[in-house]
Amino acid sequence: MEKWNRRELLKNSLLGLTALGTGAFALRETLAPTPAYGELGEYGKFLIARGEKPDEAPLPAREPTDSDSMGPYYKEGAPFRGYLMPRDAPGTPMIIRGRVYGHDTRKTLEGATIDVWQADASGSYHGMDEKENYLYRARMRTSRRGLYQFETVHPGRYGFGFWARPSHIHFYIRHPDYQSLVTQLYFRGDPRLGDHERARPSLIIPLRKISLGKTFELGNFDIVLVRK
Ligand SMILES: [Fe+2]
């Protein structure tokens, strides 16, 4: 773990000189107000059209979700919303959803707070600057059935050559009765996974394509927390 942290820090510090501040665009004018949670967005409409209820899912028999390094780009206080950037941002549209569970009870956890942040499609981080208004970041609170969901674009890899990291999304999950978890989500088939960087298997999810007017990549990432 310590080795990973140092490696990521080195890569990110090399990148930090160029990644931040390039390609940034003002968000205050382009982002809609934060929607109330429970507005499930495009994927919710998709499920309902298929006659499925978004809150129905079996409880997994799983180990606690693995942690991963936080990296240097976390910023406290992101707005509560179900999307990370304006709808017209470049990149492959993606929906990530899942449930948060307690490992001890195997039941879903209402009221867990989830911070997510990621690079844009070209691999640059944003939103550290006040003017960018938490671009490519969001916070969510899990619903009564432990559900969370957000819309984004497939994050770009960042770094150069050997130092390039696989695509990933950062997660920071907190709940009053459970241990906080900092981790990262990766995507199956990413050529930078494996020999280049070993992500823990529980953090790698498959993506499938769904059509909702436009094509989205859809991934499910359930998170299992350990009680305090
Ligand atoms: Fe990162």
Side-chain angles (χ1 to χ4, degrees):
M1 195 64 199
E2 193 188 351
K3 185 180 169 193
W4 285 25
N5 287 337
R6 275 206 301 269
R7 200 154 51 107
E8 173 153 10
L9 195 61
L10 174 60
K11 277 182 272 188
N12 287 338
S13 62
L14 285 171
L15 275 172
L17 297 173
T18 54
L20 285 174
T22 59
F25 49 98
L27 251 201
R28 282 186 205 288
E29 294 75 23
T30 51
L31 273 187
T34 302
Y37 190 85
E39 180 184 320
L40 286 170
E42 296 300 323
Y43 183 60
K45 293 175 200 162
F46 168 76
L47 288 176
I48 290 161
R50 284 168 42 127
E52 296 181 34
K53 293 181 181 171
D55 275 356
E56 287 179 358
L59 300 178
R62 284 184 33 183
E63 292 306 303
T65 301
D66 291 309
S67 64
D68 204 336
S69 58
M70 178 172 261
Y73 296 127
Y74 172 64
K75 187 178 179 186
E76 183 79 46
F80 285 93
R81 60 190 179 196
Y83 51 87
L84 273 59
M85 76 290 288
R87 284 260 163 95
D88 57 355
T92 303
M94 189 163 75
I95 295 170
I96 301 295
R97 56 155 353 231
R99 284 177 168 74
V100 177
Y101 295 91
H103 184 249
D104 55 336
T105 63
R106 301 251 179 249
K107 291 183 176 163
T108 54
L109 292 175
E110 179 183 4
T113 302
I114 305 177
D115 270 272
V116 293
W117 67 104
Q118 67 167 77
D120 68 15
S122 67
S124 295
Y125 276 86
H126 299 276
M128 299 297 277
D129 186 315
E130 289 300 322
K131 289 199 294 272
E132 287 189 315
N133 196 21
Y134 294 97
L135 185 57
Y136 290 91
R137 297 154 194 279
R139 212 165 15 150
M140 286 147 276
R141 198 162 277 135
T142 54
S143 70
R144 191 167 55 84
R145 300 281 179 87
L147 181 75
Y148 75 92
Q149 175 183 291
F150 60 93
E151 291 183 34
T152 185
V153 293
H154 196 108
R157 302 181 198 112
Y158 58 83
F160 305 100
F162 179 79
W163 294 105
R165 291 209 64 210
S167 294
H168 60 277
I169 301 176
H170 294 268
F171 280 70
Y172 181 15
I173 307 106
R174 287 172 279 190
H175 186 281
D177 301 326
Y178 286 81
Q179 295 176 26
S180 297
L181 176 69
V182 174
T183 194
Q184 298 182 36
L185 176 65
Y186 303 89
F187 308 104
R188 186 181 294 169
D190 189 320
R192 298 304 302 186
L193 286 169
D195 290 344
H196 301 282
E197 181 165 330
R198 296 190 191 285
R200 293 169 174 86
S202 70
L203 304 179
I204 304 172
I205 62 164
L207 293 171
R208 65 186 174 98
K209 288 190 163 54
I210 60 169
S211 181
L212 297 165
K214 59 182 177 182
T215 301
F216 284 83
E217 292 178 338
L218 173 66
N220 191 84
F221 181 46
D222 290 333
I223 296 160
V224 184
L225 299 180
V226 176
R227 189 175 277 277
K228 280 180 179 170

mmCIF file of all heavy atoms in Angstrom, residues 8 12 70-71 73 117 119 125 158 165 168 170 184, ligand 1:
data_model
loop_
_atom_site.group_PDB
_atom_site.id
_atom_site.type_symbol
_atom_site.label_atom_id
_atom_site.label_comp_id
_atom_site.label_asym_id
_atom_site.label_seq_id
_atom_site.Cartn_x
_atom_site.Cartn_y
_atom_site.Cartn_z
ATOM 1 N N GLU A 8 1.897 6.644 -6.937
ATOM 2 C CA GLU A 8 0.847 7.529 -7.451
ATOM 3 C C GLU A 8 1.221 8.985 -7.215
ATOM 4 O O GLU A 8 1.017 9.839 -8.081
ATOM 5 C CB GLU A 8 -0.482 7.227 -6.777
ATOM 6 C CG GLU A 8 -1.531 8.245 -7.176
ATOM 7 C CD GLU A 8 -2.943 7.715 -7.112
ATOM 8 O OE1 GLU A 8 -3.145 6.620 -6.584
ATOM 9 O OE2 GLU A 8 -3.828 8.406 -7.597
ATOM 10 N N ASN A 12 1.467 11.702 -10.077
ATOM 11 C CA ASN A 12 0.581 12.860 -10.058
ATOM 12 C C ASN A 12 1.343 14.159 -9.926
ATOM 13 O O ASN A 12 0.936 15.184 -10.462
ATOM 14 C CB ASN A 12 -0.429 12.725 -8.921
ATOM 15 C CG ASN A 12 -1.470 11.681 -9.237
ATOM 16 O OD1 ASN A 12 -1.682 11.362 -10.398
ATOM 17 N ND2 ASN A 12 -2.114 11.154 -8.221
ATOM 18 N N MET A 70 -5.726 7.723 -2.013
ATOM 19 C CA MET A 70 -6.590 8.873 -2.274
ATOM 20 C C MET A 70 -6.050 9.748 -3.402
ATOM 21 O O MET A 70 -6.814 10.351 -4.135
ATOM 22 C CB MET A 70 -6.742 9.697 -0.993
ATOM 23 C CG MET A 70 -7.597 10.945 -1.177
ATOM 24 S SD MET A 70 -7.957 11.759 0.385
ATOM 25 C CE MET A 70 -9.600 11.147 0.740
ATOM 26 N N GLY A 71 -4.736 9.809 -3.559
ATOM 27 C CA GLY A 71 -4.169 10.710 -4.561
ATOM 28 C C GLY A 71 -4.270 12.155 -4.092
ATOM 29 O O GLY A 71 -4.840 12.447 -3.046
ATOM 30 N N TYR A 73 -5.832 14.850 -5.455
ATOM 31 C CA TYR A 73 -6.827 15.757 -6.041
ATOM 32 C C TYR A 73 -8.172 15.777 -5.330
ATOM 33 O O TYR A 73 -9.139 16.321 -5.846
ATOM 34 C CB TYR A 73 -7.046 15.414 -7.523
ATOM 35 C CG TYR A 73 -5.816 15.633 -8.359
ATOM 36 C CD1 TYR A 73 -5.315 14.622 -9.175
ATOM 37 C CD2 TYR A 73 -5.140 16.849 -8.334
ATOM 38 C CE1 TYR A 73 -4.185 14.821 -9.947
ATOM 39 C CE2 TYR A 73 -4.004 17.048 -9.093
ATOM 40 C CZ TYR A 73 -3.531 16.036 -9.900
ATOM 41 O OH TYR A 73 -2.406 16.240 -10.660
ATOM 42 N N TRP A 117 -14.578 11.686 -7.607
ATOM 43 C CA TRP A 117 -13.847 12.658 -8.423
ATOM 44 C C TRP A 117 -12.970 11.900 -9.416
ATOM 45 O O TRP A 117 -12.571 10.763 -9.164
ATOM 46 C CB TRP A 117 -13.047 13.637 -7.577
ATOM 47 C CG TRP A 117 -11.887 13.104 -6.783
ATOM 48 C CD1 TRP A 117 -10.563 13.237 -7.074
ATOM 49 C CD2 TRP A 117 -11.941 12.386 -5.538
ATOM 50 N NE1 TRP A 117 -9.786 12.643 -6.109
ATOM 51 C CE2 TRP A 117 -10.611 12.111 -5.153
ATOM 52 C CE3 TRP A 117 -12.989 11.920 -4.721
ATOM 53 C CZ2 TRP A 117 -10.294 11.415 -3.993
ATOM 54 C CZ3 TRP A 117 -12.669 11.223 -3.562
ATOM 55 C CH2 TRP A 117 -11.343 10.990 -3.215
ATOM 56 N N ALA A 119 -10.556 12.310 -13.492
ATOM 57 C CA ALA A 119 -10.013 13.111 -14.591
ATOM 58 C C ALA A 119 -11.063 13.222 -15.702
ATOM 59 O O ALA A 119 -11.966 12.386 -15.803
ATOM 60 C CB ALA A 119 -8.757 12.450 -15.142
ATOM 61 N N TYR A 125 -7.267 16.632 -14.403
ATOM 62 C CA TYR A 125 -8.136 16.889 -13.254
ATOM 63 C C TYR A 125 -8.545 18.355 -13.236
ATOM 64 O O TYR A 125 -7.813 19.230 -13.700
ATOM 65 C CB TYR A 125 -7.408 16.537 -11.952
ATOM 66 C CG TYR A 125 -7.520 15.065 -11.631
ATOM 67 C CD1 TYR A 125 -6.624 14.161 -12.167
ATOM 68 C CD2 TYR A 125 -8.550 14.593 -10.837
ATOM 69 C CE1 TYR A 125 -6.731 12.799 -11.906
ATOM 70 C CE2 TYR A 125 -8.670 13.236 -10.563
ATOM 71 C CZ TYR A 125 -7.758 12.354 -11.101
ATOM 72 O OH TYR A 125 -7.879 11.016 -10.839
ATOM 73 N N TYR A 158 -4.092 9.167 -17.376
ATOM 74 C CA TYR A 158 -3.174 10.297 -17.332
ATOM 75 C C TYR A 158 -1.760 9.832 -17.055
ATOM 76 O O TYR A 158 -1.533 8.764 -16.513
ATOM 77 C CB TYR A 158 -3.623 11.369 -16.349
ATOM 78 C CG TYR A 158 -3.794 10.938 -14.910
ATOM 79 C CD1 TYR A 158 -2.713 10.871 -14.050
ATOM 80 C CD2 TYR A 158 -5.058 10.644 -14.422
ATOM 81 C CE1 TYR A 158 -2.884 10.517 -12.726
ATOM 82 C CE2 TYR A 158 -5.229 10.284 -13.095
ATOM 83 C CZ TYR A 158 -4.136 10.227 -12.253
ATOM 84 O OH TYR A 158 -4.309 9.879 -10.954
ATOM 85 N N ARG A 165 -1.420 5.957 -15.922
ATOM 86 C CA ARG A 165 -2.282 5.164 -15.044
ATOM 87 C C ARG A 165 -3.496 4.678 -15.813
ATOM 88 O O ARG A 165 -3.941 5.323 -16.763
ATOM 89 C CB ARG A 165 -2.768 6.028 -13.866
ATOM 90 C CG ARG A 165 -1.666 6.403 -12.872
ATOM 91 C CD ARG A 165 -2.282 6.587 -11.504
ATOM 92 N NE ARG A 165 -2.831 5.335 -11.034
ATOM 93 C CZ ARG A 165 -3.880 5.242 -10.221
ATOM 94 N NH1 ARG A 165 -4.494 6.307 -9.810
ATOM 95 N NH2 ARG A 165 -4.306 4.071 -9.823
ATOM 96 N N HIS A 168 -9.645 5.545 -14.010
ATOM 97 C CA HIS A 168 -10.165 5.232 -12.672
ATOM 98 C C HIS A 168 -11.028 6.386 -12.165
ATOM 99 O O HIS A 168 -10.911 7.519 -12.636
ATOM 100 C CB HIS A 168 -9.030 4.957 -11.683
ATOM 101 C CG HIS A 168 -8.110 6.125 -11.529
ATOM 102 N ND1 HIS A 168 -7.087 6.386 -12.406
ATOM 103 C CD2 HIS A 168 -8.077 7.128 -10.619
ATOM 104 C CE1 HIS A 168 -6.456 7.489 -12.048
ATOM 105 N NE2 HIS A 168 -7.044 7.971 -10.957
ATOM 106 N N HIS A 170 -12.132 8.043 -8.367
ATOM 107 C CA HIS A 170 -11.873 8.027 -6.927
ATOM 108 C C HIS A 170 -13.193 8.043 -6.152
ATOM 109 O O HIS A 170 -14.119 8.777 -6.518
ATOM 110 C CB HIS A 170 -11.060 9.248 -6.513
ATOM 111 C CG HIS A 170 -9.673 9.260 -7.076
ATOM 112 N ND1 HIS A 170 -8.599 8.725 -6.400
ATOM 113 C CD2 HIS A 170 -9.195 9.728 -8.256
ATOM 114 C CE1 HIS A 170 -7.509 8.883 -7.135
ATOM 115 N NE2 HIS A 170 -7.830 9.495 -8.269
ATOM 116 N N GLN A 184 -10.591 3.361 -5.258
ATOM 117 C CA GLN A 184 -10.660 3.757 -6.663
ATOM 118 C C GLN A 184 -11.343 2.649 -7.445
ATOM 119 O O GLN A 184 -11.198 1.467 -7.112
ATOM 120 C CB GLN A 184 -9.254 3.989 -7.247
ATOM 121 C CG GLN A 184 -8.491 5.110 -6.566
ATOM 122 C CD GLN A 184 -7.118 5.344 -7.198
ATOM 123 O OE1 GLN A 184 -6.936 5.220 -8.402
ATOM 124 N NE2 GLN A 184 -6.144 5.700 -6.376
HETATM 125 FE FE FE B 1 -6.544 9.755 -9.904
#
